[in-house]
Amino acid sequence: MSTSINTFSSLAMVSSDTTFSNNDNQNLKIDDTSSSSSSSSSSSSSSSSSSTAVIDVTCLPNELLYKIFQMSDQPKTIGVVAQVCRLWNQIALTPTIQMNPKFALSIRFAKYHTRQIEPDTLFNSDGSCITTIATDSSNTGQVYIATGSTISVLSPNGDVINTLDEHTATVCVLTVGPTGLLYSGSYDKTIRIWTPQGKCVSTQINPATVRALAVSPHGRTLYSGGHDKMVRIWPLDNNGIPDDDAAGVKVITGHNSGVYALAVSPDSKLFYSGAGSKDSKIRVWTAEGELVRELVGHTAGIYTMCIDSDGNLYSGSADKSIAVWSQEGDLVRKLRGHRSAIKAIVMHQNKLYTSSTDRSIRVWNRLTGMQHGTFLKHAKPVTSLAIASNGRVYSGSQDNSVILW
């Protein structure tokens, strides 16, 4: 009888049939799932139902064990198996595994679910809700946190190193461009551009509250969305700063509600806009503002969007779902699990993170749509997410805290 082990999950998800001794020679007992087992069941049902193959994992070379370990990208699976088997735990703690962000985050995620570690509370405001957060993961590693009209700048270690306070009303949106400049939009109807050192190098007047911002990957265009249902296209110079010539700003119409979400394709040739309230359509535009198509699939307003390196779009809606769209505009799948409106979407490698007013953060495999698990610690809606340079996730909430997972 042959035993087929197709994935690392086959080794991990058999804890109920696995017995371990107190010494280092632990035998891992795996249910036989091969086709030969099913074919022999007609002649001997009793033997097939109890038939198992025993693999002494201590006899396998380390190189093979590492390869088996890397066959799964499921955070909970990787972490749980490292907790139930001493040998796998030793492998998980080797520098080869721990220095790979994929495994470090996966093991941390699973340890959180077994309550062995607690997530880090990075920041607590003095009574003000966290409205939005952003990170400069490609350059300085700084974290930007908006509370009211103030933007706090944190080092990668979590120390507050600066405070930006030139806005006169609540800051709604933050985004970092490819040059490292920070762009902020506010209820004071301005867009401000900041250097990593905290100097405001440009202030642009907008006719309405600024609710969404996106910078093209090539760094030559800024897109803004506001309460006035308009999208504005701002040309940027080589330093990422808008032209002083207001006549160069192009205004795009078409939405029926305020624009809350913007995203730009990896090649900077297209951008996407989504509006709140009853406007459930996502509009796809050329970089110059010509309408290409409308994406229909949500049943309520769009609050967040992001794009992966392949050009696939992920949109979060008040209808409690995340929609995945191909480059051609086809609806690939819907991700469901949240119990309330989706407020933020970010991704790192093959993991997709979503947050909601249901106070949870959910983790998905962006390639398959499979949900890996849920982070629960915030006491109020989780309004924003950001990715650190090492792949860990920041979450900001109306409970006035930012947590590092």
Side-chain angles (χ1 to χ4, degrees):
M1 179 179 295
S2 63
T3 299
S4 173
I5 304 175
N6 294 321
T7 65
F8 182 62
S9 301
S10 301
L11 294 172
M13 304 308 291
V14 292
S15 57
S16 61
D17 295 315
T18 306
T19 56
F20 300 117
S21 63
N22 291 325
N23 55 45
D24 289 335
N25 294 320
Q26 301 165 341
N27 290 330
L28 184 59
K29 186 178 178 183
I30 304 173
D31 288 336
D32 187 357
T33 58
S34 65
S35 58
S36 60
S37 174
S38 59
S39 63
S40 62
S41 61
S42 58
S43 59
S44 179
S45 59
S46 60
S47 63
S48 63
S49 62
S50 61
S51 176
T52 58
V54 177
I55 296 178
D56 185 356
V57 294
T58 62
C59 296
L60 301 177
N62 283 345
E63 293 79 5
L64 180 56
L65 294 176
Y66 286 133
K67 288 182 179 180
I68 295 174
F69 200 99
Q70 296 177 51
M71 290 173 71
S72 173
D73 65 351
Q74 299 182 23
K76 192 171 184 178
T77 299
I78 292 176
V80 168
V81 77
Q83 297 306 309
V84 300
C85 176
R86 185 181 305 138
L87 179 61
W88 291 116
N89 184 266
Q90 292 171 352
I91 294 173
L93 296 178
T94 59
T96 303
I97 299 299
Q98 288 291 333
M99 290 178 67
N100 186 325
K102 164 185 170 181
F103 297 117
L105 181 61
S106 296
I107 293 168
R108 183 178 180 85
F109 171 72
K111 286 184 178 180
Y112 162 72
H113 272 271
T114 57
R115 298 298 187 266
Q116 296 194 33
I117 62 170
E118 286 293 323
D120 304 318
T121 300
L122 184 73
F123 180 86
N124 272 302
S125 69
D126 54 353
S128 299
C129 294
I130 309 298
T131 54
T132 183
I133 56 179
T135 55
D136 184 11
S137 57
S138 301
N139 298 289
T140 64
Q142 292 181 167
V143 185
Y144 301 97
I145 302 171
T147 55
S149 61
T150 300
I151 304 169
S152 299
V153 185
L154 278 63
S155 71
N157 296 326
D159 301 319
V160 178
I161 58 176
N162 208 344
T163 301
L164 315 180
D165 54 7
E166 294 192 25
H167 280 292
T168 60
T170 299
V171 176
C172 304
V173 58
L174 298 171
T175 192
V176 177
T179 63
L181 292 177
L182 173 70
Y183 300 80
S184 59
S186 167
Y187 271 99
D188 65 12
K189 303 179 182 179
T190 68
I191 299 170
R192 295 181 184 269
I193 297 94
W194 315 80
T195 66
Q197 294 74 34
K199 180 182 179 181
C200 182
V201 293
S202 178
T203 300
Q204 302 297 320
I205 306 299
N206 198 70
T209 296
V210 182
R211 293 306 305 257
L213 292 171
V215 182
S216 61
H218 62 30
R220 299 306 303 273
T221 309
L222 171 68
Y223 301 93
S224 68
H227 273 171
D228 59 0
K229 310 175 187 178
M230 310 292 185
V231 176
R232 287 174 172 81
I233 304 175
W234 308 76
L236 303 178
D237 63 20
N238 291 332
N239 297 315
I241 299 173
D243 247 341
D244 288 333
D245 182 12
V249 179
K250 188 169 185 178
V251 180
I252 307 299
T253 62
H255 283 289
N256 301 320
S257 299
V259 178
Y260 283 73
L262 291 166
V264 187
S265 64
D267 60 7
S268 299
K269 293 181 179 180
L270 298 173
F271 76 91
Y272 302 76
S273 61
S277 190
K278 298 179 180 180
D279 188 346
S280 59
K281 295 179 181 178
I282 298 170
R283 288 165 174 81
V284 187
W285 314 83
T286 65
E288 296 74 27
E290 298 297 324
L291 183 63
V292 177
R293 65 177 69 95
E294 294 180 339
L295 307 183
V296 179
H298 286 295
T299 58
I302 314 298
Y303 289 118
T304 180
M305 294 190 294
C306 71
I307 294 183
D308 65 23
S309 57
D310 298 322
N312 300 305
L313 177 72
Y314 302 78
S315 58
S317 169
D319 67 10
K320 310 175 189 178
S321 74
I322 301 98
V324 184
W325 311 84
S326 69
Q327 296 182 60
E328 295 75 26
D330 298 321
L331 180 59
V332 178
R333 65 175 64 92
K334 284 280 194 80
L335 308 182
R336 300 185 185 276
H338 284 290
R339 299 187 302 276
S340 191
I342 313 301
K343 300 299 289 186
I345 303 175
V346 295
M347 65 180 65
H348 178 69
Q349 296 178 351
N350 289 336
K351 294 185 178 68
L352 187 75
Y353 302 86
T354 60
S355 72
S356 168
T357 54
D358 66 9
R359 301 179 296 171
S360 74
I361 301 161
R362 294 178 186 264
V363 189
W364 317 77
N365 183 314
R366 72 172 181 87
L367 301 179
T368 65
M370 179 183 296
Q371 183 177 320
H372 288 323
T374 306
F375 292 157
L376 292 169
K377 188 176 182 181
H378 284 293
K380 291 186 177 181
V382 184
T383 55
S384 54
L385 297 172
I387 297 289
S389 55
N390 63 358
R392 293 181 67 180
V393 181
Y394 298 97
S395 60
S397 169
Q398 291 179 7
D399 64 10
N400 307 339
S401 72
V402 174
I403 292 177
L404 177 60
W405 302 88

